[in-house]
Amino acid sequence: MILITITIFIFIFFFLHSEEAGLMELLKFMYSNKLEATTAPAVLDVLMVADKFDVVSCMRYCSRLLRNLTMTPESVLVYLDLPSTVLMAEAFKPLTIAAKQFYAVHFKDITKFRDEILSLPLAGVEVIIASDDLQVMSENTVYGFVLQWARAQYSKRVDRRKIIMTRLAKFIRYPYLTHRILTHLLTCKEFDPKFAQKVVAEAISFKAEVPYKPQTYIRDEKSNLDRRFVERAYTYRPIKMVEFQQPRPHCVVYLELKRDLCASLFTSGVAVCSVPFNFGGQLFYLKAQRYMDDFGLFLVIVKEAGAFAFDYEFAIRYSKPTQEFVSKFKRSYRSTVGKAVWSLFLFAIPWTRVIEEDSVYFIDDFYHLRVELTDML
């Protein structure tokens, strides 16, 4: 009995000196089911005390109050940095979800807020790079940002590797990294070598798979491990590329464009480009844009390095009758003089035929393109 009395006294003494206001508000809530606290800091004080005493009804009430208050990047960061016992509590989950959504939307343009994001603590960075709606040129930007943030925050490589491997690596969408960055990843000291080999092999396998069956990789859309196969809102459209060396150097490049993106090209006049890819020592990318009143497709050579010759074949996948790729034409290209930028016109389709309701050019709302290049030198 004496021990119980001493324990109660210690608890009361501790809270009266460190969390008196929160404790008093909690006691009032237990009798009236309402709080007098109205500001975020005051409600958070009550929430922390309620969590320690496991008063779920008060935690739920505090969570609802905080969701109704105006959120700012500063206040959201406080919510996300709360102890794990609070963040994982069922009563607090609605606020956690709302806070993450606010943060992801506010910082979705990672290039616009780069300096600000680089100074954010880990909890904020995790939310940002986990978002499907992150607006970046390509997944290469996310990979580079993770390394840049870790190097700015941790001077020792061992600390950088630990924080990347335990907290950040799972949010990078490795299948959408370019081959150049995947090669860099294999030798990057901030990543565990075995992990790097695993995700690179997986990414290469994904790129070599049938390009219009990504859902076969996504078993659980709520899992971070499976979210890595989900495409973000990239400025440069991802491609899938397969290379062969025999009997001649040869590559096959696949590009998919969403229906709403294709429709917007006609009114905006803005071109949509793929991520660049290398073949035969040259740098290429695919481009779709309005061509007079048609839907035009181009193969762009960024920079020629001396003499270069190749065959190229262009194909479209139709929804009817077999959903297979159908070759549209095959041409040869030869150059003996280097050029800075050079476009090869691939194909044009009347816009009305492309966007009509029963258009044969879309399968599950995606337009599927294939370009094959064969080195002829």
Side-chain angles (χ1 to χ4, degrees):
M1 189 67 179
I2 295 176
L3 180 60
I4 294 175
T5 303
I6 294 174
T7 302
I8 294 174
F9 175 80
I10 292 174
F11 269 108
I12 293 175
F13 178 83
F14 172 76
F15 281 112
L16 285 177
H17 283 75
S18 62
E19 301 178 355
E20 178 180 0
L23 177 61
M24 296 306 296
E25 284 286 338
L26 176 61
L27 292 174
K28 293 176 184 177
F29 177 84
M30 295 174 69
Y31 283 99
S32 63
N33 283 325
K34 60 182 180 180
L35 294 177
E36 294 181 4
T38 56
T39 64
V43 176
L44 278 172
D45 287 343
V46 181
L47 176 65
M48 298 298 290
V49 177
D51 174 59
K52 289 184 179 181
F53 284 102
D54 199 25
V55 184
V56 177
S57 59
C58 186
M59 291 183 66
R60 188 177 295 112
Y61 188 90
C62 291
S63 176
R64 186 165 59 251
L65 280 180
L66 292 171
R67 289 203 312 276
N68 291 332
L69 295 175
T70 301
M71 288 189 179
T72 65
E74 294 74 23
S75 66
V76 167
L77 196 56
V78 173
Y79 303 155
L80 297 176
D81 206 32
L82 290 171
S84 59
T85 55
V86 178
L87 291 175
M88 298 301 293
E90 193 67 31
F92 195 74
K93 280 185 178 180
L95 179 59
T96 302
I97 294 172
K100 288 182 176 181
Q101 289 175 339
F102 174 88
Y103 221 64
V105 170
H106 183 78
F107 288 112
K108 67 179 180 180
D109 188 344
I110 197 172
T111 56
K112 180 180 179 181
F113 296 98
R114 176 173 291 276
D115 292 341
E116 186 176 347
I117 297 174
L118 284 173
S119 65
L120 291 177
L122 178 61
V125 173
E126 284 182 305
V127 172
I128 293 169
I129 65 174
S131 173
D132 290 346
D133 298 322
L134 192 63
Q135 293 181 350
V136 289
M137 296 178 69
S138 70
E139 193 65 23
N140 293 0
T141 303
V142 181
Y143 173 80
F145 171 77
V146 167
L147 291 177
Q148 189 177 6
W149 180 87
R151 289 167 181 171
Q153 298 290 330
Y154 301 91
S155 58
K156 295 181 179 180
R157 183 189 296 167
V158 63
D159 295 332
R160 294 198 297 270
R161 176 185 282 195
K162 180 179 180 181
I163 208 69
I164 288 175
M165 295 308 304
T166 58
R167 301 290 293 273
L168 299 176
K170 60 187 175 183
F171 297 119
I172 298 174
R173 313 285 170 91
Y174 301 97
Y176 295 100
L177 294 175
T178 61
H179 285 80
R180 178 178 63 84
I181 297 300
L182 288 174
T183 301
H184 179 274
L185 174 59
L186 288 173
T187 58
C188 182
K189 302 299 183 181
E190 277 86 354
F191 284 81
D192 176 77
K194 290 184 178 180
F195 174 84
Q197 291 172 9
K198 177 181 179 298
V199 295
V200 168
E202 183 181 68
I204 293 174
S205 176
F206 177 83
K207 292 175 182 294
E209 266 286 355
V210 178
Y212 42 86
K213 293 184 179 179
Q215 289 297 321
T216 59
Y217 285 86
I218 305 173
R219 297 174 294 278
D220 179 5
E221 293 200 353
K222 294 182 180 180
S223 167
N224 286 326
L225 292 178
D226 288 331
R227 296 309 291 172
R228 67 188 182 278
F229 295 109
V230 178
E231 182 181 328
R232 303 188 205 253
Y234 302 118
T235 303
Y236 293 142
R237 308 313 304 155
I239 60 171
K240 290 188 176 183
M241 178 177 173
V242 186
E243 291 189 80
F244 307 92
Q245 294 302 317
Q246 298 295 333
R248 282 183 173 274
H250 173 75
C251 76
V252 184
V253 179
Y254 298 93
L255 174 67
E256 299 173 358
L257 301 174
K258 292 184 178 180
R259 179 190 288 268
D260 57 354
L261 180 62
C262 291
S264 70
L265 295 180
F266 187 76
T267 54
S268 68
V270 177
V272 173
C273 302
S274 75
V275 295
F277 60 94
N278 287 282
F279 175 66
Q282 315 295 326
L283 187 63
F284 298 85
Y285 65 85
L286 298 173
K287 179 175 68 172
Q289 68 178 115
R290 181 176 178 174
Y291 180 74
M292 300 180 68
D293 287 331
D294 294 338
F295 179 68
L297 299 167
F298 301 82
L299 173 65
V300 182
I301 307 172
V302 178
K303 188 174 183 180
E304 294 183 4
F308 184 51
F310 62 93
D311 288 342
Y312 61 99
E313 183 176 4
F314 177 72
I316 302 177
R317 183 173 172 240
Y318 292 95
S319 61
K320 299 174 184 178
T322 62
Q323 296 193 358
E324 297 295 329
F325 279 100
V326 177
S327 177
K328 302 304 299 181
F329 64 80
K330 184 175 181 179
R331 299 285 190 277
S332 295
Y333 175 82
R334 177 180 291 273
S335 175
T336 57
V337 180
K339 299 181 180 70
V341 177
W342 188 252
S343 294
L344 302 177
F345 184 66
L346 296 178
F347 195 65
I349 311 170
W351 210 276
T352 53
R353 288 173 53 193
V354 173
I355 62 176
E356 60 188 0
E357 189 67 27
D358 58 346
S359 173
V360 297
Y361 298 102
F362 291 92
I363 300 175
D364 297 328
D365 274 344
F366 278 91
Y367 190 100
H368 301 270
L369 317 174
R370 186 185 73 193
V371 177
E372 299 187 45
L373 306 178
T374 303
D375 192 341
M376 298 308 294
L377 285 184

